[in-house]
Amino acid sequence: MLRKSLPSWTHPKILCRQMSVVARSLKYTQHGEPQDVLHLVEDQLAEPKNQQVLVKILAAPINPADINTIQGKYPVKPKFPAVAGNEFVGEVICVGDKVKKLQPGAHVVPLATGLGTWTTHAVYNEDQLMAISNKVGLAEAATITVNPCTAYRMLKDFVQLSPGDTVIQNGANSAVGQAVHQLCKAWGINSVGIVRNRPEIAELKKMLECLGANAVLTEEEMRTSDIFKSGKLQRPKLAFNCVGGKSATEVSRHLNDRGVMVTYGGMSREPVTVATGPLIFKDIAFRGFWMTRWSKENYSAPERTQMFKELCQLMEQGKFVAPTHEMVPLEKFKEAAAAALSFKGFTGKKFILEMSC
Amino acid sequence: MLRKSLPSWTHPKILCRQMSVVARSLKYTQHGEPQDVLHLVEDQLAEPKNQQVLVKILAAPINPADINTIQGKYPVKPKFPAVAGNEFVGEVICVGDKVKKLQPGAHVVPLATGLGTWTTHAVYNEDQLMAISNKVGLAEAATITVNPCTAYRMLKDFVQLSPGDTVIQNGANSAVGQAVHQLCKAWGINSVGIVRNRPEIAELKKMLECLGANAVLTEEEMRTSDIFKSGKLQRPKLAFNCVGGKSATEVSRHLNDRGVMVTYGGMSREPVTVATGPLIFKDIAFRGFWMTRWSKENYSAPERTQMFKELCQLMEQGKFVAPTHEMVPLEKFKEAAAAALSFKGFTGKKFILEMSC
């Protein structure tokens, strides 16, 4: 207890003299399919100095944006040779002598993108990292900065929601979709999820309802549903779209007057089609959201700190769990990347690389 | 000069005793094509009382929304029997004894919609009318409340524009399009107009450039233009769409990062198609605008008074002229309505009914 009350600069520090290690990293030197261009490479890391921190990566998820970046289909282009991956949870091993806020043993997650996280160890600057409570589960911590933050911001930044309001989304079983249902439940907001029909639809519905969805409907069921007409739920003020095409049109059709549809993905590769009538007469707005941009523009904003605080609290309380996922050893990256590439992968489960060295 | 300085309640009033008249109005009792369902009907008007005002209508335009209302295709449904038309300029003939702000001889335009304006005379409540300087031309006054206000609000309410910024629009020769070019010129904003190709394209371009357009391009020319790439003009912050379909897609493609496209019409009857990439990565927003709604929600707002003041000043100074139009006697309404119905009518010239009784 005594140590806890001491100011951080009095903590004993493990400095980084002769603490450099060999990192095994998934690197690529040209764009292409991950299983073709990624190679497991060993590098001797330089000794961390000044504000640098040596981190042992514990887990790093494979996000759709990581795959698209490797393929060269993402607006963010790495400098080659590059270590793939953007998200992780790691443990601080030792710190440079000018590091002020992080101690060895602390769990950290990235504040910046493009750090190259599919690796066993990495040296980052202190200000690229955020300490996260060790009480937050590894899978939750490893996936906190992209999907839960996307859900959080989309729920906060487009319309003013109050308890009892409704949110509707397609791709409701995506990682963001699962986060939306959980945040809605925590905040007293009704959420309706649309998913594609599939053999195991009953289990999927049950899983999403357990996360907090008030109703989960297939695209076909949604077309004839009277869930809003009947007054069972209020018409949605807010819709999230990660599919596009007919699915997006169907979702936007249910929006209330002045409703907003936010697009954050386009899994079907079809554009969003917007009828003129709802735009003009119902004042429906069509917006987009990109977490990477928001994080850059709000790097040190109090809204960002508040968001992480709130998400961590929910995670510690067990009210927010990681999306359906499978932990995969780093060595199995080819299988995991190939599976993550498939349409099923994007909407099925998230693969999280586990570094075991 | 002395009379001008007297407060308004000391003005001699022409009260309305025995001043009722016979009005000849274009009425309809069911939805359908204007030339089929409109009939010229004579009605003895009741004597105006209290806050009522007897107005002699001087000119009333045929707007697309008037036609759609008669057809039953507009979200505003009249009570039958209804007098058609929503816009006009009229002259106050006499006033009820509780009218405070209007005097006989004053020119007035409607503050409300659905007043039924395709008529020679009408009795309105004082608060449904706004006095307008007699120095404003009849065609300008008759068409002030819909198209110039639409252009004004779309330029003011969606993004913050500064001199040197660019606005792009399709249907640039529509009545709203012409208003946009003139307001942009008055405010130092660059405006680019897109029009469909046609035999008399050179004259059309010249006309729009005279109104203030910095460049007028056909849809085909726009596709290969380097007007923005070359840096000749900044990429637009704001786009207006009244066409839909491919034209809307082409226009939105040129928007700058964080640009907004506002849809206020859908002449092609094709929806707006929005690629996922620009929504997410460029943060382009797709909105809609409906003047009728804005006017209702801002009936007495200072923004509305300010808007009319500014528009009237520009009109008095000759810096804002009515859209290309043709004055048509009330008796010729069938020909005018049929012409206004055609695609050419909507994008060609506006017909303004002239009441000559």
Side-chain angles (χ1 to χ4, degrees), chain A residues 172-209:
Chain A
N173 54 327
S174 71
V176 170
Q178 294 179 47
V180 166
H181 288 312
Q182 294 182 82
L183 289 179
C184 282
K185 188 180 183 185
W187 296 341
I189 294 159
N190 297 313
S191 68
V192 175
I194 318 292
V195 292
R196 282 170 303 144
N197 203 357
R198 64 196 73 205
E200 70 283 21
I201 186 72
E203 294 91 314
L204 179 60
K205 286 187 177 188
K206 192 159 188 193
M207 187 271 278
L208 295 175
E209 282 161 9

mmCIF file of all heavy atoms in Angstrom, chain A residues 172-209:
data_model
loop_
_atom_site.group_PDB
_atom_site.id
_atom_site.type_symbol
_atom_site.label_atom_id
_atom_site.label_comp_id
_atom_site.label_asym_id
_atom_site.label_seq_id
_atom_site.Cartn_x
_atom_site.Cartn_y
_atom_site.Cartn_z
ATOM 1 N N ALA A 172 -24.130 -7.094 -37.589
ATOM 2 C CA ALA A 172 -24.243 -6.950 -36.136
ATOM 3 C C ALA A 172 -23.354 -7.909 -35.377
ATOM 4 O O ALA A 172 -23.131 -7.732 -34.182
ATOM 5 C CB ALA A 172 -25.697 -7.134 -35.708
ATOM 6 N N ASN A 173 -22.856 -8.940 -36.054
ATOM 7 C CA ASN A 173 -21.954 -9.881 -35.390
ATOM 8 C C ASN A 173 -20.486 -9.568 -35.654
ATOM 9 O O ASN A 173 -19.614 -10.314 -35.244
ATOM 10 C CB ASN A 173 -22.262 -11.320 -35.833
ATOM 11 C CG ASN A 173 -22.229 -11.443 -37.345
ATOM 12 O OD1 ASN A 173 -22.591 -10.492 -38.040
ATOM 13 N ND2 ASN A 173 -21.796 -12.579 -37.849
ATOM 14 N N SER A 174 -20.210 -8.450 -36.346
ATOM 15 C CA SER A 174 -18.819 -8.014 -36.495
ATOM 16 C C SER A 174 -18.281 -7.623 -35.127
ATOM 17 O O SER A 174 -19.036 -7.492 -34.161
ATOM 18 C CB SER A 174 -18.754 -6.813 -37.438
ATOM 19 O OG SER A 174 -19.313 -5.676 -36.803
ATOM 20 N N ALA A 175 -16.979 -7.434 -35.060
ATOM 21 C CA ALA A 175 -16.382 -7.052 -33.773
ATOM 22 C C ALA A 175 -16.938 -5.710 -33.309
ATOM 23 O O ALA A 175 -17.244 -5.525 -32.128
ATOM 24 C CB ALA A 175 -14.859 -6.982 -33.915
ATOM 25 N N VAL A 176 -17.107 -4.759 -34.231
ATOM 26 C CA VAL A 176 -17.701 -3.474 -33.860
ATOM 27 C C VAL A 176 -19.163 -3.681 -33.452
ATOM 28 O O VAL A 176 -19.635 -3.110 -32.469
ATOM 29 C CB VAL A 176 -17.611 -2.460 -35.024
ATOM 30 C CG1 VAL A 176 -18.431 -1.218 -34.718
ATOM 31 C CG2 VAL A 176 -16.150 -2.091 -35.290
ATOM 32 N N GLY A 177 -19.850 -4.539 -34.218
ATOM 33 C CA GLY A 177 -21.260 -4.817 -33.915
ATOM 34 C C GLY A 177 -21.427 -5.346 -32.502
ATOM 35 O O GLY A 177 -22.315 -4.910 -31.756
ATOM 36 N N GLN A 178 -20.564 -6.267 -32.100
ATOM 37 C CA GLN A 178 -20.644 -6.821 -30.747
ATOM 38 C C GLN A 178 -20.371 -5.738 -29.698
ATOM 39 O O GLN A 178 -20.996 -5.694 -28.644
ATOM 40 C CB GLN A 178 -19.653 -7.973 -30.599
ATOM 41 C CG GLN A 178 -19.999 -9.183 -31.479
ATOM 42 C CD GLN A 178 -18.983 -10.318 -31.334
ATOM 43 O OE1 GLN A 178 -18.607 -10.689 -30.227
ATOM 44 N NE2 GLN A 178 -18.541 -10.865 -32.449
ATOM 45 N N ALA A 179 -19.445 -4.848 -30.037
ATOM 46 C CA ALA A 179 -19.145 -3.741 -29.112
ATOM 47 C C ALA A 179 -20.340 -2.791 -29.002
ATOM 48 O O ALA A 179 -20.665 -2.318 -27.909
ATOM 49 C CB ALA A 179 -17.900 -2.991 -29.599
ATOM 50 N N VAL A 180 -21.002 -2.520 -30.125
ATOM 51 C CA VAL A 180 -22.171 -1.626 -30.109
ATOM 52 C C VAL A 180 -23.246 -2.178 -29.182
ATOM 53 O O VAL A 180 -23.797 -1.454 -28.338
ATOM 54 C CB VAL A 180 -22.731 -1.448 -31.546
ATOM 55 C CG1 VAL A 180 -24.130 -0.827 -31.522
ATOM 56 C CG2 VAL A 180 -21.781 -0.570 -32.383
ATOM 57 N N HIS A 181 -23.559 -3.464 -29.318
ATOM 58 C CA HIS A 181 -24.605 -4.054 -28.477
ATOM 59 C C HIS A 181 -24.263 -3.915 -26.992
ATOM 60 O O HIS A 181 -25.116 -3.594 -26.167
ATOM 61 C CB HIS A 181 -24.803 -5.543 -28.820
ATOM 62 C CG HIS A 181 -25.472 -5.764 -30.148
ATOM 63 N ND1 HIS A 181 -26.620 -5.100 -30.525
ATOM 64 C CD2 HIS A 181 -25.172 -6.591 -31.173
ATOM 65 C CE1 HIS A 181 -26.988 -5.513 -31.736
ATOM 66 N NE2 HIS A 181 -26.115 -6.404 -32.163
ATOM 67 N N GLN A 182 -22.983 -4.153 -26.671
ATOM 68 C CA GLN A 182 -22.589 -4.106 -25.262
ATOM 69 C C GLN A 182 -22.636 -2.678 -24.708
ATOM 70 O O GLN A 182 -23.085 -2.455 -23.576
ATOM 71 C CB GLN A 182 -21.186 -4.697 -25.096
ATOM 72 C CG GLN A 182 -21.141 -6.187 -25.420
ATOM 73 C CD GLN A 182 -19.755 -6.784 -25.216
ATOM 74 O OE1 GLN A 182 -19.378 -7.130 -24.095
ATOM 75 N NE2 GLN A 182 -18.989 -6.880 -26.280
ATOM 76 N N LEU A 183 -22.177 -1.718 -25.500
ATOM 77 C CA LEU A 183 -22.221 -0.322 -25.022
ATOM 78 C C LEU A 183 -23.672 0.143 -24.902
ATOM 79 O O LEU A 183 -24.026 0.845 -23.951
ATOM 80 C CB LEU A 183 -21.436 0.590 -25.964
ATOM 81 C CG LEU A 183 -19.916 0.432 -25.918
ATOM 82 C CD1 LEU A 183 -19.238 1.377 -26.909
ATOM 83 C CD2 LEU A 183 -19.378 0.684 -24.497
ATOM 84 N N CYS A 184 -24.495 -0.236 -25.871
ATOM 85 C CA CYS A 184 -25.912 0.151 -25.799
ATOM 86 C C CYS A 184 -26.534 -0.396 -24.520
ATOM 87 O O CYS A 184 -27.260 0.312 -23.813
ATOM 88 C CB CYS A 184 -26.681 -0.373 -27.024
ATOM 89 S SG CYS A 184 -26.411 0.619 -28.507
ATOM 90 N N LYS A 185 -26.244 -1.647 -24.222
ATOM 91 C CA LYS A 185 -26.811 -2.236 -23.006
ATOM 92 C C LYS A 185 -26.342 -1.463 -21.768
ATOM 93 O O LYS A 185 -27.131 -1.136 -20.885
ATOM 94 C CB LYS A 185 -26.403 -3.704 -22.893
ATOM 95 C CG LYS A 185 -27.115 -4.414 -21.748
ATOM 96 C CD LYS A 185 -26.719 -5.867 -21.646
ATOM 97 C CE LYS A 185 -27.519 -6.545 -20.528
ATOM 98 N NZ LYS A 185 -27.050 -7.933 -20.332
ATOM 99 N N ALA A 186 -25.037 -1.161 -21.738
ATOM 100 C CA ALA A 186 -24.490 -0.443 -20.573
ATOM 101 C C ALA A 186 -25.124 0.936 -20.424
ATOM 102 O O ALA A 186 -25.254 1.455 -19.319
ATOM 103 C CB ALA A 186 -22.972 -0.317 -20.718
ATOM 104 N N TRP A 187 -25.518 1.545 -21.528
ATOM 105 C CA TRP A 187 -26.028 2.925 -21.501
ATOM 106 C C TRP A 187 -27.550 3.021 -21.600
ATOM 107 O O TRP A 187 -28.101 4.128 -21.740
ATOM 108 C CB TRP A 187 -25.384 3.732 -22.643
ATOM 109 C CG TRP A 187 -23.896 3.888 -22.512
ATOM 110 C CD1 TRP A 187 -23.153 3.731 -21.378
ATOM 111 C CD2 TRP A 187 -22.960 4.205 -23.554
ATOM 112 N NE1 TRP A 187 -21.816 3.938 -21.640
ATOM 113 C CE2 TRP A 187 -21.667 4.234 -22.971
ATOM 114 C CE3 TRP A 187 -23.082 4.468 -24.924
ATOM 115 C CZ2 TRP A 187 -20.506 4.521 -23.699
ATOM 116 C CZ3 TRP A 187 -21.930 4.750 -25.655
ATOM 117 C CH2 TRP A 187 -20.672 4.773 -25.050
ATOM 118 N N GLY A 188 -28.235 1.870 -21.590
ATOM 119 C CA GLY A 188 -29.703 1.903 -21.601
ATOM 120 C C GLY A 188 -30.304 2.228 -22.958
ATOM 121 O O GLY A 188 -31.453 2.664 -23.062
ATOM 122 N N ILE A 189 -29.522 2.004 -24.010
ATOM 123 C CA ILE A 189 -30.009 2.278 -25.365
ATOM 124 C C ILE A 189 -30.431 0.963 -26.014
ATOM 125 O O ILE A 189 -29.762 -0.054 -25.846
ATOM 126 C CB ILE A 189 -28.892 2.970 -26.184
ATOM 127 C CG1 ILE A 189 -28.621 4.347 -25.580
ATOM 128 C CG2 ILE A 189 -29.261 3.082 -27.657
ATOM 129 C CD1 ILE A 189 -27.268 4.909 -25.929
ATOM 130 N N ASN A 190 -31.543 0.989 -26.716
ATOM 131 C CA ASN A 190 -31.997 -0.216 -27.410
ATOM 132 C C ASN A 190 -31.180 -0.421 -28.677
ATOM 133 O O ASN A 190 -30.942 0.534 -29.417
ATOM 134 C CB ASN A 190 -33.473 -0.101 -27.781
ATOM 135 C CG ASN A 190 -34.350 0.017 -26.545
ATOM 136 O OD1 ASN A 190 -34.184 -0.739 -25.591
ATOM 137 N ND2 ASN A 190 -35.256 0.981 -26.551
ATOM 138 N N SER A 191 -30.784 -1.664 -28.941
ATOM 139 C CA SER A 191 -30.040 -1.911 -30.172
ATOM 140 C C SER A 191 -30.637 -3.084 -30.928
ATOM 141 O O SER A 191 -30.983 -4.112 -30.349
ATOM 142 C CB SER A 191 -28.555 -2.140 -29.879
ATOM 143 O OG SER A 191 -28.353 -3.340 -29.194
ATOM 144 N N VAL A 192 -30.786 -2.867 -32.230
ATOM 145 C CA VAL A 192 -31.322 -3.884 -33.118
ATOM 146 C C VAL A 192 -30.203 -4.286 -34.077
ATOM 147 O O VAL A 192 -29.566 -3.423 -34.689
ATOM 148 C CB VAL A 192 -32.525 -3.345 -33.912
ATOM 149 C CG1 VAL A 192 -33.008 -4.374 -34.933
ATOM 150 C CG2 VAL A 192 -33.652 -2.971 -32.960
ATOM 151 N N GLY A 193 -29.963 -5.577 -34.184
ATOM 152 C CA GLY A 193 -28.886 -6.071 -35.033
ATOM 153 C C GLY A 193 -29.432 -6.827 -36.225
ATOM 154 O O GLY A 193 -30.362 -7.624 -36.091
ATOM 155 N N ILE A 194 -28.857 -6.540 -37.396
ATOM 156 C CA ILE A 194 -29.218 -7.271 -38.616
ATOM 157 C C ILE A 194 -28.027 -8.136 -39.008
ATOM 158 O O ILE A 194 -26.898 -7.646 -39.046
ATOM 159 C CB ILE A 194 -29.501 -6.305 -39.796
ATOM 160 C CG1 ILE A 194 -30.326 -5.104 -39.346
ATOM 161 C CG2 ILE A 194 -30.151 -7.042 -40.964
ATOM 162 C CD1 ILE A 194 -31.714 -5.407 -38.962
ATOM 163 N N VAL A 195 -28.291 -9.397 -39.290
ATOM 164 C CA VAL A 195 -27.219 -10.310 -39.724
ATOM 165 C C VAL A 195 -27.688 -11.065 -40.959
ATOM 166 O O VAL A 195 -28.882 -11.156 -41.232
ATOM 167 C CB VAL A 195 -26.875 -11.328 -38.600
ATOM 168 C CG1 VAL A 195 -26.215 -10.641 -37.417
ATOM 169 C CG2 VAL A 195 -28.115 -12.098 -38.157
ATOM 170 N N ARG A 196 -26.725 -11.604 -41.703
ATOM 171 C CA ARG A 196 -27.104 -12.462 -42.818
ATOM 172 C C ARG A 196 -27.552 -13.825 -42.287
ATOM 173 O O ARG A 196 -27.065 -14.269 -41.241
ATOM 174 C CB ARG A 196 -25.906 -12.634 -43.771
ATOM 175 C CG ARG A 196 -25.706 -11.432 -44.676
ATOM 176 C CD ARG A 196 -24.401 -11.544 -45.418
ATOM 177 N NE ARG A 196 -23.291 -11.690 -44.486
ATOM 178 C CZ ARG A 196 -22.221 -12.449 -44.700
ATOM 179 N NH1 ARG A 196 -22.102 -13.125 -45.814
ATOM 180 N NH2 ARG A 196 -21.256 -12.507 -43.805
ATOM 181 N N ASN A 197 -28.471 -14.430 -42.994
ATOM 182 C CA ASN A 197 -28.931 -15.758 -42.594
ATOM 183 C C ASN A 197 -27.776 -16.759 -42.744
ATOM 184 O O ASN A 197 -26.879 -16.547 -43.553
ATOM 185 C CB ASN A 197 -30.113 -16.185 -43.458
ATOM 186 C CG ASN A 197 -30.961 -17.245 -42.748
ATOM 187 O OD1 ASN A 197 -30.635 -17.685 -41.647
ATOM 188 N ND2 ASN A 197 -32.039 -17.646 -43.388
ATOM 189 N N ARG A 198 -27.784 -17.792 -41.938
ATOM 190 C CA ARG A 198 -26.710 -18.804 -41.955
ATOM 191 C C ARG A 198 -27.217 -20.028 -41.200
ATOM 192 O O ARG A 198 -28.194 -19.931 -40.456
ATOM 193 C CB ARG A 198 -25.455 -18.235 -41.307
ATOM 194 C CG ARG A 198 -25.627 -17.897 -39.825
ATOM 195 C CD ARG A 198 -24.509 -17.003 -39.347
ATOM 196 N NE ARG A 198 -24.672 -15.647 -39.863
ATOM 197 C CZ ARG A 198 -23.661 -14.783 -40.037
ATOM 198 N NH1 ARG A 198 -22.438 -15.131 -39.739
ATOM 199 N NH2 ARG A 198 -23.908 -13.569 -40.495
ATOM 200 N N PRO A 199 -26.536 -21.156 -41.361
ATOM 201 C CA PRO A 199 -27.027 -22.372 -40.701
ATOM 202 C C PRO A 199 -27.169 -22.204 -39.180
ATOM 203 O O PRO A 199 -28.187 -22.571 -38.611
ATOM 204 C CB PRO A 199 -25.951 -23.413 -41.039
ATOM 205 C CG PRO A 199 -25.335 -22.917 -42.309
ATOM 206 C CD PRO A 199 -25.380 -21.424 -42.231
ATOM 207 N N GLU A 200 -26.170 -21.581 -38.560
ATOM 208 C CA GLU A 200 -26.184 -21.508 -37.091
ATOM 209 C C GLU A 200 -26.811 -20.189 -36.591
ATOM 210 O O GLU A 200 -26.369 -19.623 -35.598
ATOM 211 C CB GLU A 200 -24.768 -21.704 -36.539
ATOM 212 C CG GLU A 200 -23.779 -20.579 -36.795
ATOM 213 C CD GLU A 200 -23.200 -20.497 -38.199
ATOM 214 O OE1 GLU A 200 -23.811 -21.047 -39.157
ATOM 215 O OE2 GLU A 200 -22.146 -19.875 -38.358
ATOM 216 N N ILE A 201 -27.875 -19.757 -37.293
ATOM 217 C CA ILE A 201 -28.466 -18.448 -36.994
ATOM 218 C C ILE A 201 -29.029 -18.362 -35.560
ATOM 219 O O ILE A 201 -28.906 -17.325 -34.901
ATOM 220 C CB ILE A 201 -29.559 -18.076 -38.040
ATOM 221 C CG1 ILE A 201 -30.077 -16.661 -37.823
ATOM 222 C CG2 ILE A 201 -30.696 -19.084 -38.066
ATOM 223 C CD1 ILE A 201 -29.112 -15.587 -38.190
ATOM 224 N N ALA A 202 -29.582 -19.460 -35.071
ATOM 225 C CA ALA A 202 -30.204 -19.436 -33.734
ATOM 226 C C ALA A 202 -29.150 -19.147 -32.658
ATOM 227 O O ALA A 202 -29.365 -18.311 -31.778
ATOM 228 C CB ALA A 202 -30.906 -20.759 -33.449
ATOM 229 N N GLU A 203 -27.991 -19.830 -32.771
ATOM 230 C CA GLU A 203 -26.918 -19.598 -31.796
ATOM 231 C C GLU A 203 -26.400 -18.167 -31.891
ATOM 232 O O GLU A 203 -26.115 -17.524 -30.884
ATOM 233 C CB GLU A 203 -25.735 -20.558 -32.030
ATOM 234 C CG GLU A 203 -26.012 -22.037 -31.796
ATOM 235 C CD GLU A 203 -26.469 -22.742 -33.067
ATOM 236 O OE1 GLU A 203 -27.359 -22.192 -33.775
ATOM 237 O OE2 GLU A 203 -25.950 -23.824 -33.347
ATOM 238 N N LEU A 204 -26.271 -17.687 -33.138
ATOM 239 C CA LEU A 204 -25.760 -16.330 -33.326
ATOM 240 C C LEU A 204 -26.701 -15.303 -32.681
ATOM 241 O O LEU A 204 -26.250 -14.397 -31.982
ATOM 242 C CB LEU A 204 -25.590 -16.033 -34.827
ATOM 243 C CG LEU A 204 -25.076 -14.634 -35.157
ATOM 244 C CD1 LEU A 204 -23.704 -14.396 -34.540
ATOM 245 C CD2 LEU A 204 -25.014 -14.407 -36.665
ATOM 246 N N LYS A 205 -27.991 -15.476 -32.920
ATOM 247 C CA LYS A 205 -28.964 -14.550 -32.319
ATOM 248 C C LYS A 205 -28.855 -14.560 -30.792
ATOM 249 O O LYS A 205 -28.842 -13.511 -30.153
ATOM 250 C CB LYS A 205 -30.391 -14.948 -32.733
ATOM 251 C CG LYS A 205 -30.733 -14.609 -34.178
ATOM 252 C CD LYS A 205 -32.210 -14.887 -34.433
ATOM 253 C CE LYS A 205 -32.601 -14.485 -35.850
ATOM 254 N NZ LYS A 205 -34.047 -14.556 -36.073
ATOM 255 N N LYS A 206 -28.752 -15.767 -30.256
ATOM 256 C CA LYS A 206 -28.680 -15.902 -28.802
ATOM 257 C C LYS A 206 -27.428 -15.208 -28.265
ATOM 258 O O LYS A 206 -27.486 -14.485 -27.263
ATOM 259 C CB LYS A 206 -28.681 -17.380 -28.420
ATOM 260 C CG LYS A 206 -28.891 -17.587 -26.939
ATOM 261 C CD LYS A 206 -29.392 -18.974 -26.611
ATOM 262 C CE LYS A 206 -29.752 -19.012 -25.123
ATOM 263 N NZ LYS A 206 -29.947 -20.379 -24.658
ATOM 264 N N MET A 207 -26.314 -15.414 -28.972
ATOM 265 C CA MET A 207 -25.053 -14.821 -28.529
ATOM 266 C C MET A 207 -25.172 -13.290 -28.515
ATOM 267 O O MET A 207 -24.792 -12.628 -27.546
ATOM 268 C CB MET A 207 -23.928 -15.269 -29.478
ATOM 269 C CG MET A 207 -22.529 -14.878 -29.066
ATOM 270 S SD MET A 207 -22.005 -13.252 -29.689
ATOM 271 C CE MET A 207 -21.504 -13.670 -31.353
ATOM 272 N N LEU A 208 -25.716 -12.721 -29.581
ATOM 273 C CA LEU A 208 -25.823 -11.255 -29.658
ATOM 274 C C LEU A 208 -26.832 -10.724 -28.642
ATOM 275 O O LEU A 208 -26.653 -9.633 -28.079
ATOM 276 C CB LEU A 208 -26.186 -10.822 -31.082
ATOM 277 C CG LEU A 208 -25.110 -11.120 -32.142
ATOM 278 C CD1 LEU A 208 -25.610 -10.778 -33.544
ATOM 279 C CD2 LEU A 208 -23.817 -10.358 -31.842
ATOM 280 N N GLU A 209 -27.884 -11.479 -28.409
ATOM 281 C CA GLU A 209 -28.859 -11.060 -27.389
ATOM 282 C C GLU A 209 -28.230 -11.091 -26.003
ATOM 283 O O GLU A 209 -28.502 -10.225 -25.172
ATOM 284 C CB GLU A 209 -30.119 -11.928 -27.466
ATOM 285 C CG GLU A 209 -31.029 -11.486 -28.633
ATOM 286 C CD GLU A 209 -32.035 -12.552 -29.057
ATOM 287 O OE1 GLU A 209 -32.160 -13.575 -28.342
ATOM 288 O OE2 GLU A 209 -32.669 -12.343 -30.118
#
